[in-house]
Amino acid sequence: MALGLQLRRQVLAGLLLCLCIGRWAEAGKVLVAPMEGSHWLSMRQAVRELHARGHQAVVLSPEINIHIKAEDFFTTKSYAIPYTQDQFDSIMKGRPDEVFERVHFLTRFWETMATLKNVSLFFARSCEALLYNKDLIRDLNASSFDVVLTDPVYPCGAVLAKYLSIPAVFFLRFLPCDLDAEGTACPNPFSYVPRLLTMNPDHMTFFQRVKNMLYPLGLKYICLVSLTPYERMASELLQREVSLGEILASGSVWLFRGDFVMDYPRPIMPNMVFIGGINCANRKPLSQVRLSSFMFS
Ligand SMILES: *[C@@H]1O[C@H](CO)[C@@H](O)[C@H](O)[C@H]1NC(C)=O
Ligand SMILES: *[C@@H]1O[C@H](CO)[C@@H](O)[C@H](O)[C@H]1NC(C)=O
């Protein structure tokens, strides 16, 4: 079975390669399920490149969103969502002055959690509006897409790919709570791989290793709050118990917008590809004035 899975992965990786290889390959149909906000800005570059190589991309976008605007290198399919622009703005913008208020650490923590809960609820409702939109799903199902390109930090696209039985390619910076390691079944030992926000190096002292084990516990709560709705939706739609691990394990290829120039080395699996360089596509030299004022300030 493991061999079968591995073979399937290899076939899918081959398929993706064919998709990307350019004009010689037959054009593919890509369904893009992006994450809101700045996440989309990197993915837009990839979609532009897919279009330049003759592929056809359809981008799903909620009617109210931040950055996903129509462009000539993809088709947009927008869907209705159960909230207004005002509600969306008040949740997304929050209260910027909050950052400067002097409050107790615990108060700040609970406030942040409350905001996060609200934002997660919005995303979950947006996903529900997509997955339970019968006409849209029928239409997408009939369009025979070759692949779903999605950012799994918002696992809606991953659930959609599973629901439509289309291979998924994940495009991401990272996932919290080591879910990327879980989804790729990648070794991720606490003793060697520094965890998110710990500021630990990859050569750790005993106490740094203890910190490395304790930090992720706090984040677990965030993941529980923000990601369980997707398990529920997947279980309802597929009419069986589906875990988040299973949803993420369905990613055929994981394209990480990172690079070991920036991150500590860690074990990787054959379907994890590092493409951090694409964030430098629009590089410009830093202006001398800004650079020196930054360095001396
Ligand atoms: C969360 O949403 C509720 C209702 O939509 C609102 O009353 C509350 O102020 C929000 N809390 C935060 C922290 O944004
Ligand atoms: C997609 O279409 C196939 C073939 O008609 C059907 O068997 C399947 O249930 C459909 N999937 C969804 C999610 O509607």
Side-chain angles (χ1 to χ4, degrees):
M1 170 135 166
L3 184 68
L5 199 70
Q6 206 175 3
L7 269 179
R8 211 179 62 183
R9 285 220 167 126
Q10 278 169 2
V11 170
L12 288 171
L15 266 179
L16 181 80
L17 197 68
C18 290
L19 270 179
C20 302
I21 220 160
R23 296 181 202 294
W24 310 286
E26 212 176 305
K29 284 177 80 177
V30 186
L31 179 61
V32 185
M35 165 64 177
E36 264 293 357
S38 59
H39 291 246
W40 163 242
L41 301 179
S42 304
M43 195 180 255
R44 190 175 61 178
Q45 290 296 109
V47 174
R48 191 197 299 272
E49 193 57 34
L50 284 169
H51 172 80
R53 294 176 185 212
H55 306 298
Q56 194 189 331
V58 173
V59 176
L60 291 168
S61 90
E63 262 171 7
I64 297 169
N65 69 73
I66 307 173
H67 289 306
I68 311 167
K69 306 293 170 234
E71 309 254 10
D72 57 5
F73 52 92
F74 60 78
T75 317
T76 315
K77 251 198 202 319
S78 81
Y79 52 93
I81 28 150
Y83 44 80
T84 63
Q85 183 79 50
D86 284 346
Q87 285 170 324
F88 182 74
D89 289 347
S90 78
I91 289 281
M92 288 302 151
K93 292 190 183 133
R95 289 193 301 118
D97 53 325
E98 212 172 25
V99 180
F100 301 105
E101 283 168 13
R102 299 180 74 98
V103 290
H104 191 270
F105 160 75
L106 279 179
T107 316
R108 167 66 40 83
F109 179 78
W110 287 117
E111 274 175 11
T112 308
M113 286 299 146
T115 309
L116 198 83
K117 249 185 179 162
N118 272 5
V119 172
S120 306
L121 192 69
F122 255 73
F123 280 128
R125 284 168 69 194
S126 171
C127 183
E128 225 161 44
L130 165 64
L131 294 175
Y132 292 82
N133 182 331
K134 289 213 169 67
D135 292 338
L136 179 60
I137 293 293
R138 193 177 313 118
D139 185 19
L140 295 177
N141 195 24
S143 306
S144 354
F145 287 98
D146 297 299
V147 71
V148 171
L149 178 67
T150 189
D151 190 331
V153 80
Y154 173 50
C156 195
V159 176
L160 178 68
K162 223 170 157 49
Y163 187 32
L164 297 176
S165 311
I166 305 174
V169 171
F170 290 162
F171 185 94
L172 70 160
R173 177 69 183 92
F174 63 83
L175 288 184
C177 306
D178 300 317
L179 288 167
D180 44 359
E182 193 182 326
T184 49
C186 185
N188 190 28
F190 278 107
S191 326
Y192 296 103
V193 183
R195 292 306 194 255
L196 194 65
L197 307 180
T198 54
M199 313 284 261
N200 281 342
D202 59 341
H203 291 278
M204 286 175 261
T205 62
F206 175 74
F207 287 107
Q208 282 172 325
R209 285 177 183 174
V210 172
K211 182 179 172 189
N212 215 38
M213 294 198 67
L214 294 180
Y215 258 59
L217 297 179
L219 284 176
K220 272 266 183 266
Y221 174 72
I222 299 180
C223 291
L224 200 71
V225 167
S226 56
L227 298 175
T228 38
Y230 303 93
E231 276 182 343
R232 175 181 55 75
M233 285 182 238
S235 303
E236 271 173 25
L237 293 169
L238 300 175
Q239 295 175 357
R240 64 181 173 83
E241 202 66 33
V242 181
S243 68
L244 191 64
E246 185 186 337
I247 296 168
L248 293 174
S250 67
S252 305
V253 180
W254 293 60
L255 304 174
F256 284 87
R257 281 185 287 111
D259 193 282
F260 290 135
V261 168
M262 227 161 29
D263 303 319
Y264 288 112
R266 60 176 168 122
I268 59 169
M269 292 305 249
N271 64 342
M272 297 164 78
V273 184
F274 289 79
I275 55 160
I278 71 153
N279 286 334
C280 313
N282 294 326
R283 58 188 173 271
K284 281 188 220 137
L286 288 173
S287 92
Q288 285 304 316
V289 181
R290 290 256 184 82
L291 188 61
S292 53
S293 63
F294 170 72
M295 278 163 59
F296 296 113
S297 64

